[in-house]
Amino acid sequence: MGDHVELVAGCYEQIVFGYRVCPGDKEWTVEPNFTHHAHTASLTAVSSSDQFIATGSNDETIQLYDMSKKTEHGALLHHDGTVSCLEFYGTSHLLSGGQDGLICVWSTQKWECLKSIKAHKTWNLIEGRSAFIKNIKQNAEIVLWSPDGDQYAVVVNDQVDIYILQSATVIGTIAFTKRISCVKFLKNTLLAVGGDDENVRIYDVTSQKCVCEFKAHENRVKAIESFMKDDICVLVTASNDGFIKLWKLNLENLKTPSLLGQVNTTARLTCLSIWKPGQVKETITEQSAQPETSKAAVAEPPKPAKGKRVRLPGEEVILEESSSTKQAKKKKKQKVQ
């Protein structure tokens, strides 16, 4: 089951769509797997761990969906404003950012908000305090780390500034012709960019030159993701035109990618994530509690005690680096300042 891949997409129409990717010899099929309607406004963000999908919305909530059971797992309520970005850190934590200027660090075991950080600063999450502050003098819409973590991309309107971490300086700028809505590192030296245009462009990060361009959709591109299948990079794009498309891309020989498969969701898509199951799902006995705000009626593992959703400063935040191949989990304990 290691090859099992699902696509999860959110839309303006409040729905989360799940599709199973079924590779074929010539054409790949994308088969509907589930739909989930927990939000009361349009979706803005989706992220996946090996068990859960988290979605953010203009309704100011984060909704959880258990991919192993295909059931909803409750809601996380802390942001006072649109939830603008979500990112799982391994399987142990979920990070959420909102238009209220807060970044929340959630435990995925008890679904508690371990720390709520008032933005906008850049911080060291291990210590829970600012690592350094970089004034970019403009409003950044997207910030994305490279896979190696030695550089990061900052999107400002129709351009991408590439910063090198060591000196926090811009080493180059990628000029896109329209407003950018999504960027994805395909590897450390290649960045795919989409926006208010039907075309997707792939840039060499070092030279900032466009090395591949192709028409992906009939309307603007809202999201780009990728995953590796054997030696092939599969690029996944989602658009306002309702389509999710899979493209076959050879990273060593960048020619115009060929279309592997597609599905028409008939919805105005806003966000996209790729879900792969964990390697040792069946052997895990320790279950994740549901958040207090969960509306699920079935009996579930114990919920966190009332009043413990937000921990006071000074308590410990435990960051786990769990390996699917090792039974022993290494726990790093750091005092939060």
Side-chain angles (χ1 to χ4, degrees):
M1 291 294 288
D3 291 332
H4 178 195
V5 172
E6 292 190 35
L7 311 176
V8 182
C11 64
Y12 282 109
E13 290 83 0
Q14 309 173 6
I15 307 286
V16 179
F17 298 97
Y19 294 94
R20 188 181 178 113
V21 176
C22 304
D25 290 338
K26 291 184 178 177
E27 188 180 353
W28 291 24
T29 56
V30 184
E31 298 178 355
N33 201 3
F34 69 90
T35 57
H36 184 44
H37 189 181
H39 288 290
T40 57
S42 60
L43 272 85
T44 50
V46 58
S47 183
S48 51
S49 70
D50 66 357
Q51 183 180 356
F52 295 103
I53 292 290
T55 54
S57 166
N58 285 320
D59 67 11
E60 307 183 359
T61 72
I62 299 165
Q63 299 287 339
L64 300 170
Y65 190 77
D66 187 329
M67 289 292 284
S68 60
K69 299 175 184 173
K70 294 290 190 282
T71 56
E72 68 175 81
H73 199 73
L76 303 177
L77 309 178
H78 191 84
H79 288 287
D80 184 19
T82 293
V83 178
S84 47
C85 48
L86 291 166
E87 195 73 47
F88 276 99
Y89 172 77
T91 57
S92 60
H93 294 79
L94 172 68
L95 308 178
S96 64
Q99 289 187 357
D100 53 5
L102 291 180
I103 296 246
C104 296
V105 182
W106 304 87
S107 157
T108 60
Q109 277 303 313
K110 295 187 176 179
W111 294 112
E112 290 176 302
C113 180
L114 301 177
K115 186 154 184 72
S116 181
I117 305 164
K118 183 67 180 173
H120 195 269
K121 292 178 179 177
T122 307
W123 50 90
N124 178 337
L125 274 180
I126 300 289
E127 297 170 354
R129 60 173 175 241
S130 175
F132 69 93
I133 298 171
K134 175 68 183 174
N135 185 358
I136 60 170
K137 300 182 178 66
Q138 286 174 292
N139 246 354
E141 281 119 32
I142 306 171
V143 179
L144 185 68
W145 286 98
S146 67
D148 291 353
D150 59 341
Q151 52 194 350
Y152 54 96
V154 176
V155 173
V156 180
N157 196 18
D158 60 352
Q159 66 183 46
V160 188
D161 290 328
I162 305 296
Y163 285 81
I164 195 153
L165 176 63
Q166 203 168 9
S167 56
T169 54
V170 178
I171 58 164
T173 297
I174 290 168
F176 197 72
T177 51
K178 302 280 179 70
R179 193 183 72 84
I180 294 168
S181 55
C182 48
V183 288
K184 172 72 180 178
F185 277 98
L186 305 180
K187 60 181 184 178
N188 215 57
T189 54
L190 286 178
L191 186 73
V193 182
D196 288 358
D197 193 351
E198 336 47 288
N199 291 345
V200 167
R201 295 190 183 95
I202 299 170
Y203 292 88
D204 181 306
V205 174
T206 310
S207 68
Q208 296 91 49
K209 288 187 170 64
C210 180
V211 290
C212 178
E213 178 178 358
F214 64 100
K215 181 180 177 181
H217 292 274
E218 297 301 323
N219 207 324
R220 60 187 178 205
V221 179
K222 295 293 287 186
I224 299 174
E225 286 293 335
S226 70
F227 63 91
M228 295 301 295
K229 169 73 173 166
D230 302 323
D231 292 333
I232 297 299
C233 174
V234 179
L235 198 67
V236 189
T237 58
S239 166
N240 261 21
D241 66 10
F243 279 87
I244 301 172
K245 297 186 181 184
L246 283 74
W247 306 88
K248 180 180 177 181
L249 191 64
N250 185 341
L251 295 183
E252 305 308 317
N253 184 15
L254 279 171
K255 294 177 181 173
T256 301
S258 56
L259 184 65
L260 283 170
Q262 62 182 356
V263 62
N264 185 3
T265 67
T266 71
R268 291 172 295 165
L269 299 174
T270 56
C271 50
L272 175 71
S273 184
I274 289 166
W275 179 80
K276 294 181 181 180
Q279 298 298 314
V280 288
K281 187 80 69 206
E282 285 74 21
T283 63
I284 297 174
T285 54
E286 184 183 358
Q287 287 183 296
S288 171
Q290 285 197 297
E292 302 162 43
T293 51
S294 168
K295 298 182 285 292
V298 292
E300 284 287 343
K303 298 173 186 176
K306 295 282 184 194
K308 289 193 74 177
R309 195 177 306 161
V310 182
R311 292 190 179 181
L312 297 173
E315 286 205 37
E316 286 181 335
V317 174
I318 302 170
L319 287 184
E320 290 186 0
E321 290 188 347
S322 58
S323 167
S324 57
T325 55
K326 295 178 184 175
Q327 289 183 335
K329 288 184 178 178
K330 297 177 183 176
K331 293 188 178 182
K332 293 184 178 180
K333 294 187 178 183
Q334 298 283 354
K335 288 285 184 184
V336 178
Q337 302 298 317

